[in-house]
Amino acid sequence: MTISETNSPFIALSSISKAYRTRAISVPIFDNLDLSIEKGEFVAVMGPSGSGKSTLLNLLAGLDGPDSGDIKIAGQRLDHMGEAARSAWRAHHLGIVFQFYNLLPMLTAEENVELPLLLKPFPASIRRERVAKTLDLVGLCGFGRQNPSRLSGGQQQRVGIARAIVSDPTLLLCDEPTGDLDRASADEILTMLGYLNRELGKTIVMVTHDPEAAEAADRILHLDKGAFVERARVMS
Amino acid sequence: MTFLGLTRKSTLRKPFRVVLLIISVAVTFFIYGLTASFIAGSQGTAAASDELLGVMNAAGRNQPLPMAYLSRIAALPGVAEVSPIVRLRGSVGDARNVVAVSAGEPDKLKAVSGEELGLDPSMLQALDTGWDKVLVGRALAEAQGWTIGERFTVSSFRTKRSDGSRDWPFEIAGIFDGKSSSTDTYFVLAQYRYINEGRARGKDTVATFALRPEPGVAPQELAPRIDALFTNSAAPTRTLSEKQFLSAFLSQYADVKHVVTLVVSVCFVTLLMIVINTMVFALRERRFEIGVLKTLGFSRSCILMMVLAEALFVFLLGGSIGIGLAKLASLALPPALGLVFDQSVLLRATALVFLLGLFAGALPALSAMRTPILSAFRTR
Ligand SMILES: Nc1ncnc2c1ncn2[C@@H]1O[C@H](COP(=O)(O)OP(=O)(O)OP(=O)(O)O)[C@@H](O)[C@H]1O
Ligand SMILES: [Mg+2]
């Protein structure tokens, strides 16, 4: 590993181009996009609908590949990996929080949280222990046996966060994690994300429409017409 | 929770649908089990030999041959022994209790198929004590609860006696076991002279000549030479091996085996379509969940295995139920139906369960594996 590599940012996108193609037309989303995020940063991404925020998260998660350009996360070239390698990479390094929680309805809260651990070589006892600890961390101690449909939106999102962090990933991607919640629940979730960032050192990239939510981040990126317009965080 | 637990929960999410699927699999394998037992039983196949030959009327099984052919066949080089055979089918007691009687000349019959049937000299001596003495196969004796010395009367369906009655009384002189458990022993072995003297019509005719070639003489080479003897007679013959004979016997009934195979295949194809269709739809409802699992890092092969496991679960459960019921039915139904649910039927059914399970799961599994994950971030 060369010095420049060790010093390169945790997330480095350079000259990313991406377009969605249908049979007849090609919709360009990004053209030569650059982005770097340091380890331990909490970054909010804002921008009008259709500006490509979710597309960006898809690229960062290895769920989709760029047409051209490099994606390097924690020293690994995501765009060079095959599908199987990216699955394994996600299982190890990534937690994802969705706007609509995306919990599996036939599983209990704790089973949902346990899902990512099935991909690890842990014995059942360790898995149970970690699930309990994580549910405790998100303030859902005692709710493990509940079916997600019987929990409030805020509680479901906390299950979603527990699932995202249970395997102790370094990077958390959140797509409008508070988009479906009332103010109070949203604030709880944001507090929790702030805690995960500051106390547990998670790097967080959060897409949001909500300026108040964006305030929880260290840095706010505005995505517009496929390019970033960076603004300093307004300290209040 | 384990992978298996996750698969089980996904499978049982719509219990009603799964139960219906399991029932259709069970019904199909029940039908398969019964028909396979029927075919296994009616062939008596494992035991039927290629060594023994049967000579029958070329015009059809129900046409007799003159007894006079016996000496001409016996004189042919390469023929070790020949026995005339006549058959009599009828009921004992209850009209549905059907019993088949084959009558031959005891010493000749012993020379021809004594080994296959497990006949010993003492049985022949016992037969010799009276014209109405018979030997009964073990399977039939057990089914009827008959013992040596017991008398029974067969009411013949077709063969009338000289006095106009159809009742043929017999006395059991011995019970034969057959060489192996797969030998068909569900019949009575009677004496040709008793039937021939007693019957009103068709005296001195036979249904078949059963013969054994001399050692070293190929049956398939001997058969045409026998038929050549009688090409220009009033009753030309057709000579087949016991195995060919048995299948020729079955094919008489509109080629039963082929019809049965066809029906069972149609059942299986229908079953496959039902299961594949249901699973593809069920998975379409779950596309979203599969997308979520993929975002969590579940690999494509992982998803593939989970869906295959689901299909296998349905087939294993349904298949076991169906096969189990078929086994029970083969034991419970009257032995006259000739259902033999043996090891080979079980093995083939089990192999089919796995094969069809994998096949039914393959298409849904592949489509689940290819489910794009991109939709996971999109709003619903
Ligand atoms: N799979 C796809 N195929 C074709 N077009 C797509 C696809 N995914 C997204 N798009 C288009 O790309 C553009 C950017 O989509 P994206 O989902 O990244 O926007 P977004 O910023 O997340 O919007 P929103 O705030 O509404 O979630 C949109 O115009 C969308 O219609
Ligand atoms: Mg979006």
Side-chain angles (χ1 to χ4, degrees):
Chain A
M1 204 180 259
T2 65
I3 304 233
S4 73
E5 267 172 326
T6 22
N7 288 345
S8 70
F10 183 61
I11 298 177
L13 306 194
S14 54
S15 330
I16 295 292
S17 297
K18 174 77 186 168
Y20 286 114
R21 279 178 205 86
T22 52
R23 220 166 288 151
I25 48 163
S26 158
V27 185
I29 308 293
F30 302 131
D31 184 25
N32 267 315
L33 184 83
D34 295 310
L35 169 68
S36 42
I37 294 173
E38 297 301 330
K39 193 162 174 39
E41 253 194 306
F42 186 168
V43 175
V45 179
M46 299 189 71
S49 189
S51 56
K53 304 183 296 293
S54 296
T55 305
L56 176 69
L57 288 193
N58 282 334
L59 291 176
L60 290 177
L63 297 175
D64 198 2
D67 297 336
S68 64
D70 309 346
I71 300 179
K72 198 188 238 174
I73 299 182
Q76 283 179 290
R77 281 289 293 271
L78 222 54
D79 52 318
H80 283 181
M81 293 183 195
E83 173 136 9
R86 284 189 299 197
S87 281
W89 179 82
R90 274 198 297 281
H92 275 93
H93 300 285
L94 190 65
I96 304 179
V97 180
F98 306 88
Q99 176 176 1
F100 295 106
Y101 333 127
N102 291 358
L103 302 176
L104 302 198
M106 72 282 188
L107 303 182
T108 62
E110 60 189 11
E111 286 168 340
N112 266 288
V113 175
E114 195 183 352
L115 278 177
L117 295 181
L118 293 182
L119 301 169
K120 306 251 170 177
F122 298 147
S125 57
I126 302 265
R127 289 205 303 265
R128 266 197 303 277
E129 200 175 298
R130 281 185 80 154
V131 169
K133 245 191 214 157
T134 314
L135 279 175
D136 206 14
L137 185 72
V138 297
L140 283 180
C141 195
F143 287 88
R145 296 284 159 84
Q146 296 272 356
N147 198 275
S149 59
R150 301 185 50 190
L151 299 175
S152 74
Q155 287 171 322
Q156 288 188 50
Q157 190 57 296
R158 283 192 266 164
V159 176
I161 291 175
R163 182 179 64 185
I165 61 172
V166 72
S167 55
D168 199 23
T170 41
L171 177 60
L172 273 187
L173 301 178
C174 314
D175 199 356
E176 306 200 25
T178 59
D180 205 41
L181 299 177
D182 59 62
R183 191 69 261 160
S185 308
D187 286 341
E188 276 173 26
I189 296 297
L190 291 167
T191 309
M192 193 167 296
L193 289 177
Y195 173 84
L196 293 174
N197 171 243
R198 278 187 315 276
E199 308 298 325
L200 303 182
K202 309 283 179 210
T203 308
I204 300 181
V205 180
M206 173 179 73
V207 164
T208 182
H209 273 122
D210 175 9
E212 264 189 68
E215 291 300 314
D218 306 324
R219 181 155 68 116
I220 303 176
L221 297 173
H222 287 268
L223 195 55
D224 202 3
K225 302 189 183 74
F228 287 118
V229 195
E230 194 161 339
R231 296 177 198 165
R233 192 183 156 197
V234 188
M235 301 293 279
S236 50
Chain B
M1 196 179 54
T2 57
F3 262 110
L4 221 61
L6 175 61
T7 309
R8 189 172 50 89
K9 292 210 163 177
S10 315
T11 312
L12 297 177
R13 233 182 86 186
K14 295 254 162 69
F16 184 62
R17 179 158 59 192
V18 178
V19 166
L20 282 184
L21 278 188
I22 289 174
I23 290 177
S24 21
V25 174
V27 168
T28 313
F29 275 94
F30 178 64
I31 295 173
Y32 174 78
L34 283 189
T35 51
S37 306
F38 172 71
I39 288 176
S42 60
Q43 301 251 343
T45 40
S49 100
D50 268 328
E51 278 298 304
L52 300 184
L53 291 174
V55 184
M56 58 180 187
N57 193 315
R61 252 185 64 82
N62 292 323
Q63 304 298 316
L65 287 171
M67 181 63 170
Y69 282 14
L70 182 71
S71 53
R72 292 178 66 190
I73 296 174
L76 202 69
V79 175
E81 200 65 55
V82 202
S83 170
I85 307 261
V86 286
R87 294 196 180 80
L88 194 124
R89 273 170 69 78
S91 57
V92 176
D94 186 346
R96 281 171 307 170
N97 185 22
V98 177
V99 165
V101 179
S102 286
E105 287 181 6
D107 48 338
K108 291 185 173 141
L109 203 60
K110 175 164 189 307
V112 174
S113 45
E115 195 194 330
E116 281 77 8
L117 297 177
L119 306 181
D120 63 43
S122 67
M123 291 180 184
L124 291 194
Q125 277 170 16
L127 268 189
D128 217 26
T129 58
W131 284 29
D132 61 345
K133 295 278 163 61
V134 293
L135 301 176
V136 177
R138 176 69 63 195
L140 180 62
E142 277 176 3
Q144 307 284 350
W146 287 341
T147 50
I148 294 174
E150 204 167 330
R151 302 190 63 88
F152 65 94
T153 299
V154 175
S155 298
S156 163
F157 294 144
R158 220 181 262 151
T159 317
K160 270 194 197 163
R161 302 179 64 111
S162 327
D163 62 6
S165 104
R166 290 175 184 274
D167 289 347
W168 297 83
F170 295 106
E171 186 181 335
I172 301 172
I175 291 173
F176 60 93
D177 286 307
K179 188 167 71 175
S180 72
S181 59
S182 51
T183 308
D184 176 18
T185 56
Y186 199 83
F187 66 97
V188 177
L189 211 54
Q191 303 180 47
Y192 177 79
R193 54 185 181 180
Y194 179 57
I195 308 278
N196 193 45
E197 294 296 315
R199 60 184 163 184
R201 281 182 291 123
K203 283 225 196 320
D204 295 329
T205 63
V206 304
T208 328
F209 292 102
L211 68 91
R212 174 185 293 282
E214 270 168 8
V217 175
Q220 62 271 27
E221 181 260 330
L222 184 56
R225 284 202 281 124
I226 295 170
D227 292 342
L229 268 185
F230 305 106
T231 18
N232 297 318
S233 336
T237 61
R238 181 151 175 245
T239 304
L240 298 169
S241 74
E242 190 186 359
K243 231 180 198 146
Q244 290 171 317
F245 184 80
L246 279 167
S247 34
F249 167 71
L250 270 179
S251 60
Q252 184 175 259
Y253 297 103
D255 225 351
V256 176
K257 192 182 168 183
H258 286 116
V259 171
V260 162
T261 310
L262 192 72
V263 169
V264 171
S265 310
V266 169
C267 283
F268 277 134
V269 169
T270 313
L271 176 73
L272 279 180
M273 293 201 299
I274 291 173
V275 175
I276 291 176
N277 187 56
T278 311
M279 283 194 71
V280 165
F281 269 96
L283 285 167
R284 196 155 293 166
E285 287 168 20
R286 274 165 40 196
R287 271 168 79 94
F288 188 78
E289 284 162 33
I290 291 170
V292 171
L293 289 178
K294 286 187 175 178
T295 62
L296 294 181
F298 284 66
S299 64
R300 285 159 63 104
S301 48
C302 208
I303 305 279
L304 183 89
M305 297 307 283
M306 281 174 60
V307 179
L308 275 183
E310 257 181 63
L312 270 181
F313 168 79
V314 167
F315 270 80
L316 279 181
L317 200 61
S320 319
I321 293 172
I323 293 171
L325 287 178
K327 171 83 196 174
L328 287 181
S330 76
L331 296 176
L333 289 170
L337 286 179
L339 297 183
V340 176
F341 193 102
D342 56 11
Q343 196 104 346
S344 79
V345 173
L346 181 66
L347 270 172
R348 265 179 297 149
T350 312
L352 269 175
V353 166
F354 277 96
L355 213 73
L356 291 181
L358 287 178
F359 190 81
L363 197 74
L366 285 174
S367 103
M369 189 178 95
R370 295 212 192 91
T371 306
I373 20 185
L374 286 179
S375 53
F377 277 121
R378 289 254 202 83
T379 50
R380 286 192 276 192

